[in-house]
Amino acid sequence: ENFLQKTCAPFSTNSYDAFISPNTLNLSSFTKLMKKLQEIHPEASRDKIVDALLEVRRNNKGILSGLSINSIAERTSVIL
C-alpha cells in the first residue's frame, strides 16, 4: 500500500486545504485504513487518527510503503 508515501503538497487533515494528486495517494487503501481505525477507535476524531498515521510514517523513515494495512493499523493504535 503506497498511500501517504510521497506527496507533492503538504498533507492536510482537511482535504480542501491541499491538492494531492491521485497518483501520489492510494485513496482506496487510505479509505480502508481510516474505516478500520475509526471502528477500532470510535472516540478518536478523524484529525487525531490522521495525526497518528503521520507519526507512524515519521517513525518509519517517512514512508508507509511496504507495510500492510494491519501493521499500520496496529502501529497507529499504539499511538492513539
Side-chain angles (χ1 to χ4, degrees), residues 17-60:
D17 287 349
F19 172 76
I20 299 174
S21 160
N23 294 332
T24 60
L25 183 66
N26 184 331
L27 292 176
S28 174
S29 294
F30 180 76
T31 302
K32 283 186 217 172
L33 182 57
M34 285 301 294
K35 183 177 179 189
K36 181 176 188 128
L37 288 167
Q38 287 170 329
E39 288 171 0
I40 296 169
H41 302 282
E43 77 289 351
S45 69
R46 177 177 169 80
D47 287 352
K48 189 166 177 78
I49 292 172
V50 170
D51 287 344
L53 281 168
L54 291 172
E55 187 172 334
V56 169
R57 182 175 72 173
R58 275 192 303 276
N59 293 341
N60 195 54

Side-chain angles (χ1 to χ4, degrees), residues 8-24:
C8 296
F11 186 81
S12 171
T13 56
N14 181 342
S15 60
Y16 298 107
D17 287 349
F19 172 76
I20 299 174
S21 160
N23 294 332
T24 60

